Amino acid sequence: MKLFDLDVWEEILVTITRNKTRSLLTAFGIFWGIFMLIALMGGAQGMQDMLSREFEGFATNSGFMGANKTSKAYKGFQQGRTWYLENNDVERIRRSVNEVEVITPSLAKWGVDVIYNEQKISGTLKGLYPEYGTIEEPQIAYGRYLNDMDVKERRRVCIIGKRIYETLFPGKENPCGKFIKINGIYYQVIGVSLSTGNISINGRSETSVTIPFSTMQQNYNFGQNVQLLCYTAKKGYSISEVEKKIDQVVKQAHYIHPDDSQATILVNAEAIFSMMDNLFSGIRILGWMVGLGTLLAGAIGVSNIMMVTVKERTTEIGIRRAIGAKPNDILQQILSESMVLTILAGIVGIAFAVFLLNVVEVGASEPDAPAHFLISFWEAVGACALLLVLGLLAGLAPAYRAMSVKPIDAIRDE
């Protein structure tokens, strides 16, 4: 293609000038198509980053079980019976369900007052085992997380969340070793977790205080009761498979009808994550369909305007053929005009889309958790290559029509 030939550019300008309205409409079609394609791709990536930030540190292969009133009578027990999960259920599941990788109980009290000197904040008190860190990974900034000795000795120690730390210790000093008061009981701070994910069990991690599970049961009279069972599946097994077996084991131990779906509350985090992945895959496919459809319409417009141009320049093309122009010269000229019109409109569309995505990224991102709304380098390269192909295809029919013009017929038409 003679894209660097001044005569070609002159011909392109003449073509656009002769058909201003059609040229602008066609260019807008290409511009809008590539803009939609880039904007939807970048927007989907940014939304996925933001959602991933909400899920940060949370195990994707996890599930949770809670107790609820029964809805069916069974073995002498009436429907509507209140029952509770127990410590023994953890061992039962470990023995009976080999597909479980980690299982740990959880307790929580909401709306507790956390006090240090004159500072006070309301938050959630959680009782956990060290194993819970594999389900909701803490980002320890100071100190450490819970260990087995904390649980065994029922120590009054705690890990505080980010917002709790910032409120109680505004000077940002290391709080480890200091004592905070929670509902009248003093706990020694042994760690600070800076986790910011909004997907959290029994309260957000930022406003939570974590203490050993055994300490929670003892200090707040939970006895052997458990609010939640939290578990993860071994590699190669799904949570859907695991939770069915866990449900059977628990119902059998507590004399609950096997078909009583109301008696247990099951949350499958794996299914939620999978659903979100499918959602973003669908958004990407939709983006490609909308973008490619609009680009195709724009390419058809380019082809039409070039066809009209060829018809208007029949005499000119015939004269050029008569004075020695080769068919390939005519072919290259028409294809060059088609590709340049397509590429120029497309590059403007890409630039505008990238500019808007950059503005959105600056507004939506947080300093410690950026969301990337921009497309990758190779996606941009692919978009440019797509423009070249569309420009080439759009010019083929007009170019072959121009090649078929015979000098004698062109002069006769004149």
Side-chain angles (χ1 to χ4, degrees), residues 207-244:
T207 55
S208 297
V209 178
T210 303
I211 65 175
F213 182 85
S214 56
T215 305
M216 184 85 168
Q217 280 191 318
Q218 176 180 270
N219 290 359
Y220 300 96
N221 300 318
F222 280 99
Q224 296 296 306
N225 293 340
V226 172
Q227 290 175 338
L228 282 180
L229 291 179
C230 315
Y231 44 86
T232 61
K234 290 181 179 178
K235 188 175 181 179
Y237 297 97
S238 68
I239 289 296
S240 299
E241 297 176 275
V242 171
E243 69 181 6
K244 289 179 182 178

PDB file of all heavy atoms in Angstrom, residues 207-244:
ATOM      1  N   THR A 207     -13.743  -3.601  61.358  1.00  0.00           N
ATOM      2  CA  THR A 207     -14.352  -3.187  62.625  1.00  0.00           C
ATOM      3  C   THR A 207     -14.511  -4.370  63.586  1.00  0.00           C
ATOM      4  O   THR A 207     -15.425  -4.387  64.403  1.00  0.00           O
ATOM      5  CB  THR A 207     -15.723  -2.546  62.359  1.00  0.00           C
ATOM      6  OG1 THR A 207     -16.533  -3.450  61.606  1.00  0.00           O
ATOM      7  CG2 THR A 207     -15.572  -1.245  61.581  1.00  0.00           C
ATOM      8  N   SER A 208     -13.633  -5.344  63.464  1.00  0.00           N
ATOM      9  CA  SER A 208     -13.723  -6.544  64.296  1.00  0.00           C
ATOM     10  C   SER A 208     -12.535  -6.666  65.245  1.00  0.00           C
ATOM     11  O   SER A 208     -11.435  -6.219  64.945  1.00  0.00           O
ATOM     12  CB  SER A 208     -13.796  -7.800  63.422  1.00  0.00           C
ATOM     13  OG  SER A 208     -14.969  -7.798  62.638  1.00  0.00           O
ATOM     14  N   VAL A 209     -12.812  -7.295  66.368  1.00  0.00           N
ATOM     15  CA  VAL A 209     -11.769  -7.686  67.325  1.00  0.00           C
ATOM     16  C   VAL A 209     -11.834  -9.201  67.446  1.00  0.00           C
ATOM     17  O   VAL A 209     -12.897  -9.756  67.736  1.00  0.00           O
ATOM     18  CB  VAL A 209     -11.976  -7.032  68.701  1.00  0.00           C
ATOM     19  CG1 VAL A 209     -10.898  -7.497  69.671  1.00  0.00           C
ATOM     20  CG2 VAL A 209     -11.964  -5.513  68.584  1.00  0.00           C
ATOM     21  N   THR A 210     -10.722  -9.870  67.203  1.00  0.00           N
ATOM     22  CA  THR A 210     -10.678 -11.328  67.215  1.00  0.00           C
ATOM     23  C   THR A 210     -10.006 -11.828  68.478  1.00  0.00           C
ATOM     24  O   THR A 210      -8.903 -11.380  68.824  1.00  0.00           O
ATOM     25  CB  THR A 210      -9.914 -11.852  65.988  1.00  0.00           C
ATOM     26  OG1 THR A 210     -10.536 -11.367  64.796  1.00  0.00           O
ATOM     27  CG2 THR A 210      -9.912 -13.372  65.957  1.00  0.00           C
ATOM     28  N   ILE A 211     -10.670 -12.763  69.175  1.00  0.00           N
ATOM     29  CA  ILE A 211     -10.105 -13.378  70.375  1.00  0.00           C
ATOM     30  C   ILE A 211     -10.145 -14.891  70.206  1.00  0.00           C
ATOM     31  O   ILE A 211     -10.836 -15.407  69.312  1.00  0.00           O
ATOM     32  CB  ILE A 211     -10.875 -12.950  71.656  1.00  0.00           C
ATOM     33  CG1 ILE A 211     -12.320 -13.475  71.607  1.00  0.00           C
ATOM     34  CG2 ILE A 211     -10.854 -11.435  71.819  1.00  0.00           C
ATOM     35  CD1 ILE A 211     -13.111 -13.191  72.889  1.00  0.00           C
ATOM     36  N   PRO A 212      -9.423 -15.658  71.045  1.00  0.00           N
ATOM     37  CA  PRO A 212      -9.457 -17.125  70.931  1.00  0.00           C
ATOM     38  C   PRO A 212     -10.876 -17.668  71.119  1.00  0.00           C
ATOM     39  O   PRO A 212     -11.654 -17.154  71.937  1.00  0.00           O
ATOM     40  CB  PRO A 212      -8.524 -17.586  72.052  1.00  0.00           C
ATOM     41  CG  PRO A 212      -7.615 -16.426  72.285  1.00  0.00           C
ATOM     42  CD  PRO A 212      -8.435 -15.207  72.043  1.00  0.00           C
ATOM     43  N   PHE A 213     -11.200 -18.707  70.369  1.00  0.00           N
ATOM     44  CA  PHE A 213     -12.543 -19.291  70.411  1.00  0.00           C
ATOM     45  C   PHE A 213     -12.903 -19.755  71.819  1.00  0.00           C
ATOM     46  O   PHE A 213     -14.021 -19.509  72.294  1.00  0.00           O
ATOM     47  CB  PHE A 213     -12.608 -20.468  69.436  1.00  0.00           C
ATOM     48  CG  PHE A 213     -13.961 -21.111  69.356  1.00  0.00           C
ATOM     49  CD1 PHE A 213     -14.937 -20.604  68.520  1.00  0.00           C
ATOM     50  CD2 PHE A 213     -14.256 -22.237  70.117  1.00  0.00           C
ATOM     51  CE1 PHE A 213     -16.195 -21.193  68.449  1.00  0.00           C
ATOM     52  CE2 PHE A 213     -15.498 -22.835  70.051  1.00  0.00           C
ATOM     53  CZ  PHE A 213     -16.479 -22.307  69.217  1.00  0.00           C
ATOM     54  N   SER A 214     -11.981 -20.421  72.490  1.00  0.00           N
ATOM     55  CA  SER A 214     -12.252 -20.929  73.833  1.00  0.00           C
ATOM     56  C   SER A 214     -12.506 -19.790  74.824  1.00  0.00           C
ATOM     57  O   SER A 214     -13.344 -19.909  75.726  1.00  0.00           O
ATOM     58  CB  SER A 214     -11.078 -21.793  74.323  1.00  0.00           C
ATOM     59  OG  SER A 214      -9.864 -21.049  74.265  1.00  0.00           O
ATOM     60  N   THR A 215     -11.788 -18.691  74.676  1.00  0.00           N
ATOM     61  CA  THR A 215     -11.997 -17.524  75.537  1.00  0.00           C
ATOM     62  C   THR A 215     -13.389 -16.943  75.314  1.00  0.00           C
ATOM     63  O   THR A 215     -14.078 -16.542  76.256  1.00  0.00           O
ATOM     64  CB  THR A 215     -10.942 -16.446  75.237  1.00  0.00           C
ATOM     65  OG1 THR A 215      -9.644 -17.018  75.368  1.00  0.00           O
ATOM     66  CG2 THR A 215     -11.067 -15.274  76.187  1.00  0.00           C
ATOM     67  N   MET A 216     -13.810 -16.905  74.074  1.00  0.00           N
ATOM     68  CA  MET A 216     -15.138 -16.387  73.736  1.00  0.00           C
ATOM     69  C   MET A 216     -16.225 -17.250  74.372  1.00  0.00           C
ATOM     70  O   MET A 216     -17.189 -16.730  74.957  1.00  0.00           O
ATOM     71  CB  MET A 216     -15.289 -16.379  72.207  1.00  0.00           C
ATOM     72  CG  MET A 216     -16.581 -15.785  71.696  1.00  0.00           C
ATOM     73  SD  MET A 216     -16.463 -14.005  71.560  1.00  0.00           S
ATOM     74  CE  MET A 216     -17.952 -13.647  70.616  1.00  0.00           C
ATOM     75  N   GLN A 217     -16.095 -18.561  74.255  1.00  0.00           N
ATOM     76  CA  GLN A 217     -17.104 -19.448  74.834  1.00  0.00           C
ATOM     77  C   GLN A 217     -17.181 -19.292  76.347  1.00  0.00           C
ATOM     78  O   GLN A 217     -18.270 -19.270  76.919  1.00  0.00           O
ATOM     79  CB  GLN A 217     -16.779 -20.903  74.484  1.00  0.00           C
ATOM     80  CG  GLN A 217     -17.210 -21.315  73.083  1.00  0.00           C
ATOM     81  CD  GLN A 217     -17.121 -22.807  72.866  1.00  0.00           C
ATOM     82  OE1 GLN A 217     -16.164 -23.453  73.286  1.00  0.00           O
ATOM     83  NE2 GLN A 217     -18.111 -23.371  72.184  1.00  0.00           N
ATOM     84  N   GLN A 218     -16.041 -19.162  76.973  1.00  0.00           N
ATOM     85  CA  GLN A 218     -16.005 -19.079  78.437  1.00  0.00           C
ATOM     86  C   GLN A 218     -16.497 -17.721  78.949  1.00  0.00           C
ATOM     87  O   GLN A 218     -17.319 -17.655  79.866  1.00  0.00           O
ATOM     88  CB  GLN A 218     -14.582 -19.324  78.930  1.00  0.00           C
ATOM     89  CG  GLN A 218     -14.411 -19.166  80.445  1.00  0.00           C
ATOM     90  CD  GLN A 218     -12.983 -19.422  80.868  1.00  0.00           C
ATOM     91  OE1 GLN A 218     -12.612 -20.559  81.168  1.00  0.00           O
ATOM     92  NE2 GLN A 218     -12.168 -18.368  80.897  1.00  0.00           N
ATOM     93  N   ASN A 219     -16.004 -16.643  78.371  1.00  0.00           N
ATOM     94  CA  ASN A 219     -16.311 -15.310  78.894  1.00  0.00           C
ATOM     95  C   ASN A 219     -17.743 -14.866  78.615  1.00  0.00           C
ATOM     96  O   ASN A 219     -18.272 -14.010  79.336  1.00  0.00           O
ATOM     97  CB  ASN A 219     -15.352 -14.278  78.307  1.00  0.00           C
ATOM     98  CG  ASN A 219     -13.939 -14.433  78.848  1.00  0.00           C
ATOM     99  OD1 ASN A 219     -13.679 -15.297  79.682  1.00  0.00           O
ATOM    100  ND2 ASN A 219     -13.030 -13.610  78.364  1.00  0.00           N
ATOM    101  N   TYR A 220     -18.370 -15.420  77.571  1.00  0.00           N
ATOM    102  CA  TYR A 220     -19.693 -14.935  77.196  1.00  0.00           C
ATOM    103  C   TYR A 220     -20.752 -16.031  77.225  1.00  0.00           C
ATOM    104  O   TYR A 220     -21.800 -15.933  76.593  1.00  0.00           O
ATOM    105  CB  TYR A 220     -19.625 -14.277  75.807  1.00  0.00           C
ATOM    106  CG  TYR A 220     -18.663 -13.105  75.807  1.00  0.00           C
ATOM    107  CD1 TYR A 220     -17.346 -13.279  75.390  1.00  0.00           C
ATOM    108  CD2 TYR A 220     -19.050 -11.865  76.274  1.00  0.00           C
ATOM    109  CE1 TYR A 220     -16.451 -12.221  75.409  1.00  0.00           C
ATOM    110  CE2 TYR A 220     -18.153 -10.795  76.308  1.00  0.00           C
ATOM    111  CZ  TYR A 220     -16.850 -10.983  75.877  1.00  0.00           C
ATOM    112  OH  TYR A 220     -15.957  -9.931  75.912  1.00  0.00           O
ATOM    113  N   ASN A 221     -20.473 -17.092  78.003  1.00  0.00           N
ATOM    114  CA  ASN A 221     -21.453 -18.135  78.328  1.00  0.00           C
ATOM    115  C   ASN A 221     -22.095 -18.783  77.094  1.00  0.00           C
ATOM    116  O   ASN A 221     -23.307 -18.997  77.051  1.00  0.00           O
ATOM    117  CB  ASN A 221     -22.557 -17.554  79.235  1.00  0.00           C
ATOM    118  CG  ASN A 221     -22.002 -17.026  80.526  1.00  0.00           C
ATOM    119  OD1 ASN A 221     -21.129 -17.641  81.151  1.00  0.00           O
ATOM    120  ND2 ASN A 221     -22.489 -15.855  80.951  1.00  0.00           N
ATOM    121  N   PHE A 222     -21.269 -19.126  76.132  1.00  0.00           N
ATOM    122  CA  PHE A 222     -21.769 -19.859  74.977  1.00  0.00           C
ATOM    123  C   PHE A 222     -21.824 -21.363  75.235  1.00  0.00           C
ATOM    124  O   PHE A 222     -22.419 -22.095  74.444  1.00  0.00           O
ATOM    125  CB  PHE A 222     -20.885 -19.591  73.753  1.00  0.00           C
ATOM    126  CG  PHE A 222     -21.175 -18.282  73.076  1.00  0.00           C
ATOM    127  CD1 PHE A 222     -20.389 -17.181  73.317  1.00  0.00           C
ATOM    128  CD2 PHE A 222     -22.245 -18.161  72.204  1.00  0.00           C
ATOM    129  CE1 PHE A 222     -20.653 -15.972  72.691  1.00  0.00           C
ATOM    130  CE2 PHE A 222     -22.517 -16.952  71.574  1.00  0.00           C
ATOM    131  CZ  PHE A 222     -21.723 -15.851  71.819  1.00  0.00           C
ATOM    132  N   GLY A 223     -21.180 -21.806  76.309  1.00  0.00           N
ATOM    133  CA  GLY A 223     -21.155 -23.234  76.595  1.00  0.00           C
ATOM    134  C   GLY A 223     -20.433 -23.987  75.495  1.00  0.00           C
ATOM    135  O   GLY A 223     -19.327 -23.635  75.109  1.00  0.00           O
ATOM    136  N   GLN A 224     -21.084 -25.031  74.939  1.00  0.00           N
ATOM    137  CA  GLN A 224     -20.520 -25.805  73.838  1.00  0.00           C
ATOM    138  C   GLN A 224     -21.132 -25.416  72.487  1.00  0.00           C
ATOM    139  O   GLN A 224     -20.865 -26.063  71.476  1.00  0.00           O
ATOM    140  CB  GLN A 224     -20.746 -27.299  74.085  1.00  0.00           C
ATOM    141  CG  GLN A 224     -20.028 -27.848  75.306  1.00  0.00           C
ATOM    142  CD  GLN A 224     -18.515 -27.749  75.148  1.00  0.00           C
ATOM    143  OE1 GLN A 224     -17.952 -28.227  74.171  1.00  0.00           O
ATOM    144  NE2 GLN A 224     -17.856 -27.122  76.114  1.00  0.00           N
ATOM    145  N   ASN A 225     -21.935 -24.360  72.500  1.00  0.00           N
ATOM    146  CA  ASN A 225     -22.635 -23.974  71.272  1.00  0.00           C
ATOM    147  C   ASN A 225     -21.716 -23.252  70.288  1.00  0.00           C
ATOM    148  O   ASN A 225     -20.783 -22.547  70.678  1.00  0.00           O
ATOM    149  CB  ASN A 225     -23.830 -23.066  71.601  1.00  0.00           C
ATOM    150  CG  ASN A 225     -24.911 -23.813  72.359  1.00  0.00           C
ATOM    151  OD1 ASN A 225     -24.967 -25.041  72.328  1.00  0.00           O
ATOM    152  ND2 ASN A 225     -25.774 -23.080  73.047  1.00  0.00           N
ATOM    153  N   VAL A 226     -22.035 -23.432  69.019  1.00  0.00           N
ATOM    154  CA  VAL A 226     -21.283 -22.810  67.928  1.00  0.00           C
ATOM    155  C   VAL A 226     -22.277 -22.109  67.005  1.00  0.00           C
ATOM    156  O   VAL A 226     -23.329 -22.660  66.693  1.00  0.00           O
ATOM    157  CB  VAL A 226     -20.502 -23.890  67.132  1.00  0.00           C
ATOM    158  CG1 VAL A 226     -19.867 -23.283  65.887  1.00  0.00           C
ATOM    159  CG2 VAL A 226     -19.441 -24.527  68.015  1.00  0.00           C
ATOM    160  N   GLN A 227     -21.953 -20.910  66.578  1.00  0.00           N
ATOM    161  CA  GLN A 227     -22.846 -20.179  65.667  1.00  0.00           C
ATOM    162  C   GLN A 227     -22.671 -20.619  64.218  1.00  0.00           C
ATOM    163  O   GLN A 227     -23.643 -20.772  63.482  1.00  0.00           O
ATOM    164  CB  GLN A 227     -22.604 -18.681  65.786  1.00  0.00           C
ATOM    165  CG  GLN A 227     -23.075 -18.090  67.117  1.00  0.00           C
ATOM    166  CD  GLN A 227     -22.711 -16.622  67.239  1.00  0.00           C
ATOM    167  OE1 GLN A 227     -21.796 -16.140  66.573  1.00  0.00           O
ATOM    168  NE2 GLN A 227     -23.402 -15.914  68.119  1.00  0.00           N
ATOM    169  N   LEU A 228     -21.425 -20.783  63.799  1.00  0.00           N
ATOM    170  CA  LEU A 228     -21.140 -21.143  62.416  1.00  0.00           C
ATOM    171  C   LEU A 228     -20.064 -22.212  62.347  1.00  0.00           C
ATOM    172  O   LEU A 228     -19.139 -22.221  63.180  1.00  0.00           O
ATOM    173  CB  LEU A 228     -20.658 -19.927  61.621  1.00  0.00           C
ATOM    174  CG  LEU A 228     -21.681 -18.897  61.129  1.00  0.00           C
ATOM    175  CD1 LEU A 228     -20.951 -17.792  60.384  1.00  0.00           C
ATOM    176  CD2 LEU A 228     -22.722 -19.533  60.226  1.00  0.00           C
ATOM    177  N   LEU A 229     -20.193 -23.077  61.356  1.00  0.00           N
ATOM    178  CA  LEU A 229     -19.105 -23.974  60.983  1.00  0.00           C
ATOM    179  C   LEU A 229     -18.538 -23.464  59.667  1.00  0.00           C
ATOM    180  O   LEU A 229     -19.282 -23.266  58.689  1.00  0.00           O
ATOM    181  CB  LEU A 229     -19.609 -25.410  60.818  1.00  0.00           C
ATOM    182  CG  LEU A 229     -20.056 -26.128  62.094  1.00  0.00           C
ATOM    183  CD1 LEU A 229     -20.560 -27.528  61.754  1.00  0.00           C
ATOM    184  CD2 LEU A 229     -18.918 -26.211  63.104  1.00  0.00           C
ATOM    185  N   CYS A 230     -17.235 -23.239  59.623  1.00  0.00           N
ATOM    186  CA  CYS A 230     -16.574 -22.708  58.423  1.00  0.00           C
ATOM    187  C   CYS A 230     -15.633 -23.782  57.896  1.00  0.00           C
ATOM    188  O   CYS A 230     -14.871 -24.379  58.676  1.00  0.00           O
ATOM    189  CB  CYS A 230     -15.789 -21.443  58.759  1.00  0.00           C
ATOM    190  SG  CYS A 230     -16.687 -20.264  59.797  1.00  0.00           S
ATOM    191  N   TYR A 231     -15.645 -24.031  56.593  1.00  0.00           N
ATOM    192  CA  TYR A 231     -14.851 -25.127  56.055  1.00  0.00           C
ATOM    193  C   TYR A 231     -14.390 -24.819  54.637  1.00  0.00           C
ATOM    194  O   TYR A 231     -14.972 -23.978  53.930  1.00  0.00           O
ATOM    195  CB  TYR A 231     -15.648 -26.437  56.073  1.00  0.00           C
ATOM    196  CG  TYR A 231     -17.074 -26.294  55.600  1.00  0.00           C
ATOM    197  CD1 TYR A 231     -17.411 -26.375  54.245  1.00  0.00           C
ATOM    198  CD2 TYR A 231     -18.103 -26.045  56.505  1.00  0.00           C
ATOM    199  CE1 TYR A 231     -18.714 -26.229  53.818  1.00  0.00           C
ATOM    200  CE2 TYR A 231     -19.412 -25.892  56.090  1.00  0.00           C
ATOM    201  CZ  TYR A 231     -19.723 -25.983  54.742  1.00  0.00           C
ATOM    202  OH  TYR A 231     -21.012 -25.823  54.310  1.00  0.00           O
ATOM    203  N   THR A 232     -13.345 -25.503  54.230  1.00  0.00           N
ATOM    204  CA  THR A 232     -12.852 -25.436  52.855  1.00  0.00           C
ATOM    205  C   THR A 232     -12.731 -26.862  52.320  1.00  0.00           C
ATOM    206  O   THR A 232     -12.563 -27.817  53.086  1.00  0.00           O
ATOM    207  CB  THR A 232     -11.482 -24.739  52.757  1.00  0.00           C
ATOM    208  OG1 THR A 232     -10.520 -25.484  53.528  1.00  0.00           O
ATOM    209  CG2 THR A 232     -11.552 -23.318  53.282  1.00  0.00           C
ATOM    210  N   ALA A 233     -12.802 -26.996  51.012  1.00  0.00           N
ATOM    211  CA  ALA A 233     -12.725 -28.307  50.365  1.00  0.00           C
ATOM    212  C   ALA A 233     -11.301 -28.580  49.887  1.00  0.00           C
ATOM    213  O   ALA A 233     -10.564 -27.655  49.532  1.00  0.00           O
ATOM    214  CB  ALA A 233     -13.687 -28.372  49.186  1.00  0.00           C
ATOM    215  N   LYS A 234     -10.926 -29.850  49.891  1.00  0.00           N
ATOM    216  CA  LYS A 234      -9.633 -30.241  49.352  1.00  0.00           C
ATOM    217  C   LYS A 234      -9.608 -30.028  47.839  1.00  0.00           C
ATOM    218  O   LYS A 234     -10.654 -29.953  47.195  1.00  0.00           O
ATOM    219  CB  LYS A 234      -9.348 -31.713  49.675  1.00  0.00           C
ATOM    220  CG  LYS A 234      -9.084 -31.979  51.141  1.00  0.00           C
ATOM    221  CD  LYS A 234      -8.781 -33.462  51.382  1.00  0.00           C
ATOM    222  CE  LYS A 234      -8.496 -33.733  52.846  1.00  0.00           C
ATOM    223  NZ  LYS A 234      -8.246 -35.174  53.108  1.00  0.00           N
ATOM    224  N   LYS A 235      -8.413 -29.938  47.312  1.00  0.00           N
ATOM    225  CA  LYS A 235      -8.254 -29.735  45.879  1.00  0.00           C
ATOM    226  C   LYS A 235      -8.885 -30.903  45.118  1.00  0.00           C
ATOM    227  O   LYS A 235      -8.684 -32.065  45.449  1.00  0.00           O
ATOM    228  CB  LYS A 235      -6.765 -29.638  45.540  1.00  0.00           C
ATOM    229  CG  LYS A 235      -6.498 -29.243  44.101  1.00  0.00           C
ATOM    230  CD  LYS A 235      -5.018 -29.042  43.855  1.00  0.00           C
ATOM    231  CE  LYS A 235      -4.756 -28.612  42.427  1.00  0.00           C
ATOM    232  NZ  LYS A 235      -3.299 -28.395  42.165  1.00  0.00           N
ATOM    233  N   GLY A 236      -9.658 -30.563  44.104  1.00  0.00           N
ATOM    234  CA  GLY A 236     -10.330 -31.585  43.308  1.00  0.00           C
ATOM    235  C   GLY A 236     -11.763 -31.825  43.719  1.00  0.00           C
ATOM    236  O   GLY A 236     -12.486 -32.578  43.052  1.00  0.00           O
ATOM    237  N   TYR A 237     -12.203 -31.203  44.822  1.00  0.00           N
ATOM    238  CA  TYR A 237     -13.581 -31.349  45.293  1.00  0.00           C
ATOM    239  C   TYR A 237     -14.251 -29.981  45.343  1.00  0.00           C
ATOM    240  O   TYR A 237     -13.609 -28.971  45.614  1.00  0.00           O
ATOM    241  CB  TYR A 237     -13.626 -31.985  46.678  1.00  0.00           C
ATOM    242  CG  TYR A 237     -13.066 -33.391  46.733  1.00  0.00           C
ATOM    243  CD1 TYR A 237     -11.750 -33.614  47.139  1.00  0.00           C
ATOM    244  CD2 TYR A 237     -13.846 -34.489  46.385  1.00  0.00           C
ATOM    245  CE1 TYR A 237     -11.219 -34.891  47.179  1.00  0.00           C
ATOM    246  CE2 TYR A 237     -13.328 -35.777  46.441  1.00  0.00           C
ATOM    247  CZ  TYR A 237     -12.017 -35.971  46.835  1.00  0.00           C
ATOM    248  OH  TYR A 237     -11.499 -37.238  46.874  1.00  0.00           O
ATOM    249  N   SER A 238     -15.537 -29.975  45.080  1.00  0.00           N
ATOM    250  CA  SER A 238     -16.296 -28.726  45.134  1.00  0.00           C
ATOM    251  C   SER A 238     -17.000 -28.595  46.471  1.00  0.00           C
ATOM    252  O   SER A 238     -17.286 -29.594  47.146  1.00  0.00           O
ATOM    253  CB  SER A 238     -17.321 -28.666  43.996  1.00  0.00           C
ATOM    254  OG  SER A 238     -18.341 -29.626  44.200  1.00  0.00           O
ATOM    255  N   ILE A 239     -17.309 -27.355  46.839  1.00  0.00           N
ATOM    256  CA  ILE A 239     -18.033 -27.111  48.078  1.00  0.00           C
ATOM    257  C   ILE A 239     -19.431 -27.721  48.017  1.00  0.00           C
ATOM    258  O   ILE A 239     -19.966 -28.182  49.029  1.00  0.00           O
ATOM    259  CB  ILE A 239     -18.106 -25.596  48.366  1.00  0.00           C
ATOM    260  CG1 ILE A 239     -16.722 -25.079  48.776  1.00  0.00           C
ATOM    261  CG2 ILE A 239     -19.101 -25.294  49.480  1.00  0.00           C
ATOM    262  CD1 ILE A 239     -16.188 -25.656  50.064  1.00  0.00           C
ATOM    263  N   SER A 240     -20.017 -27.745  46.835  1.00  0.00           N
ATOM    264  CA  SER A 240     -21.350 -28.338  46.689  1.00  0.00           C
ATOM    265  C   SER A 240     -21.348 -29.804  47.119  1.00  0.00           C
ATOM    266  O   SER A 240     -22.280 -30.274  47.784  1.00  0.00           O
ATOM    267  CB  SER A 240     -21.824 -28.229  45.239  1.00  0.00           C
ATOM    268  OG  SER A 240     -21.918 -26.889  44.837  1.00  0.00           O
ATOM    269  N   GLU A 241     -20.292 -30.541  46.744  1.00  0.00           N
ATOM    270  CA  GLU A 241     -20.171 -31.944  47.149  1.00  0.00           C
ATOM    271  C   GLU A 241     -19.964 -32.055  48.652  1.00  0.00           C
ATOM    272  O   GLU A 241     -20.594 -32.873  49.331  1.00  0.00           O
ATOM    273  CB  GLU A 241     -18.995 -32.605  46.436  1.00  0.00           C
ATOM    274  CG  GLU A 241     -19.106 -32.675  44.926  1.00  0.00           C
ATOM    275  CD  GLU A 241     -17.851 -33.254  44.297  1.00  0.00           C
ATOM    276  OE1 GLU A 241     -16.891 -32.494  44.062  1.00  0.00           O
ATOM    277  OE2 GLU A 241     -17.842 -34.481  44.068  1.00  0.00           O
ATOM    278  N   VAL A 242     -19.071 -31.216  49.172  1.00  0.00           N
ATOM    279  CA  VAL A 242     -18.690 -31.288  50.578  1.00  0.00           C
ATOM    280  C   VAL A 242     -19.857 -30.924  51.487  1.00  0.00           C
ATOM    281  O   VAL A 242     -20.123 -31.597  52.486  1.00  0.00           O
ATOM    282  CB  VAL A 242     -17.482 -30.373  50.851  1.00  0.00           C
ATOM    283  CG1 VAL A 242     -17.213 -30.263  52.344  1.00  0.00           C
ATOM    284  CG2 VAL A 242     -16.252 -30.893  50.122  1.00  0.00           C
ATOM    285  N   GLU A 243     -20.600 -29.853  51.150  1.00  0.00           N
ATOM    286  CA  GLU A 243     -21.650 -29.394  52.053  1.00  0.00           C
ATOM    287  C   GLU A 243     -22.797 -30.400  52.155  1.00  0.00           C
ATOM    288  O   GLU A 243     -23.461 -30.472  53.195  1.00  0.00           O
ATOM    289  CB  GLU A 243     -22.174 -28.021  51.615  1.00  0.00           C
ATOM    290  CG  GLU A 243     -22.962 -27.991  50.333  1.00  0.00           C
ATOM    291  CD  GLU A 243     -23.428 -26.581  49.969  1.00  0.00           C
ATOM    292  OE1 GLU A 243     -23.024 -25.625  50.666  1.00  0.00           O
ATOM    293  OE2 GLU A 243     -24.188 -26.438  48.986  1.00  0.00           O
ATOM    294  N   LYS A 244     -23.019 -31.189  51.108  1.00  0.00           N
ATOM    295  CA  LYS A 244     -24.049 -32.222  51.185  1.00  0.00           C
ATOM    296  C   LYS A 244     -23.692 -33.262  52.250  1.00  0.00           C
ATOM    297  O   LYS A 244     -24.546 -33.691  53.035  1.00  0.00           O
ATOM    298  CB  LYS A 244     -24.228 -32.893  49.829  1.00  0.00           C
ATOM    299  CG  LYS A 244     -24.896 -32.013  48.782  1.00  0.00           C
ATOM    300  CD  LYS A 244     -25.017 -32.734  47.454  1.00  0.00           C
ATOM    301  CE  LYS A 244     -25.637 -31.832  46.379  1.00  0.00           C
ATOM    302  NZ  LYS A 244     -25.714 -32.523  45.067  1.00  0.00           N
TER     303      LYS A 244
END
